[in-house]
């Protein structure tokens, strides 16, 4: 390949123009399915979104793709796959949190953990998922120092197959609007090469590669809450776990990043 404190209850600033580029394109080229949480983004739509970005932002996505590939190759060179590095080559136990990181807000990285749900509630082919959080430096109380970004569903190797956002009751923490959350995700992606934890570095790079989908999912998440007759009370509705989700392919995404950079000045 070519050259990239979880809440126990499960509960350097990026450029404004970059944030606005992704936030704007998140409203375009996305089609909702019959399930209110499902979004479908075809490869051609993702490619158009990458092409619509300014050259510097496209280069950032390309750097993130290289970091993802480098990280994957590093895991393989050590005789394993990404998920094995998180599980420490042990058998995963349902609901147990693995790899919970301790990240300072100033580092630009993320707080993350991995876990799996019972197979009957998990999509086919999905082993479990990573919860990714931003740590907020200016939060007044500890409970508000984490803001959930997105979940990355992975197969038995640890390769991404689905992205999704969850309702606030699932993880707790600080609920931020989509545009602020997108900015935090971009900040984490930009910091990926400076992070010591190889899994954290790999996850942050994926935020950069999948930013069109991450942005669209966050916008759709907010729209569902805004459209609810219960208003913000919907954030604590135990009947709603996932607010938005879409399938992804790492290979197709990296190909779109490469093509967008090669076909644009």
């Amino acid at each position: 390949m070519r050259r990239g404190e979880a809440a126990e209850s499960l509960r350097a600033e990026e450029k404004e123009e970059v944030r606005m580029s992704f936030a704007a394109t998140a409203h375009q080229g996305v089609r909702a399915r019959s399930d209110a949480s499902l979004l479908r983004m075809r490869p051609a739509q993702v490619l158009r979104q990458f092409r619509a970005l300014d050259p510097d932002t496209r280069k950032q996505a390309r750097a993130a793709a290289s970091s993802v590939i480098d990280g994957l190759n590093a895991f393989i060179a050590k005789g394993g796959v990404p998920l094995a590095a998180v599980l420490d080559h042990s058998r995963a136990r349902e609901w147990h949190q693995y790899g919970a990181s301790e990240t300072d807000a100033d580092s630009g990285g993320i707080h993350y953990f991995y876990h799996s749900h019972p197979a009957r509630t998990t999509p086919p082919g999905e082993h479990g998922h990573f919860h990714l959080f931003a740590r907020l430096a200016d939060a007044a109380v500890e409970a508000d120092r984490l803001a959930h970004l997105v979940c990355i569903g992975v197969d038995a190797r640890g390769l991404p197959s689905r992205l999704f956002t969850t309702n606030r009751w699932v993880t707790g923490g600080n609920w931020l609007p989509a545009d602020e959350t997108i900015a935090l995700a971009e900040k984490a992606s930009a910091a990926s090469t400076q992070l010591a934890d190889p899994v954290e570095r790999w996850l942050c790079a994926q935020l950069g590669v999948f930013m069109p989908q991450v942005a669209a999912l966050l916008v759709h998440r907010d729209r569902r809450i805004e459209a609810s007759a219960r208003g913000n009370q919907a954030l604590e509705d135990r009947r709603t776990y996932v607010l938005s989700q879409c399938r992804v392919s790492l290979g197709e995404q990296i190909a779109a990043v490469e093509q967008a950079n090669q076909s644009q000045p």
Side-chain angles (χ1 to χ4, degrees), residues 95-106:
W95 298 109
H96 183 77
Q97 296 180 14
Y98 294 89
S101 60
E102 294 294 338
T103 297
D104 293 330
D106 292 339

Side-chain angles (χ1 to χ4, degrees), residues 4 63-64 67-68 107-109 186-198 200-206 208:
S67 185
V68 168
S107 72
E186 290 169 344
K187 178 180 178 181
S189 173
S192 63
T193 59
Q194 309 301 317
L195 302 172
D197 179 351
E200 181 183 10
R201 186 165 61 242
W202 196 60
L203 292 172
C204 284
Q206 288 185 61

Side-chain angles (χ1 to χ4, degrees), residues 237-252:
D237 186 351
R238 264 54 178 178
R239 297 170 300 178
T240 304
Y241 181 93
V242 172
L243 285 171
S244 58
Q245 60 181 315
C246 69
R247 305 295 297 183
V248 293
S249 164
L250 184 58
E252 290 180 353

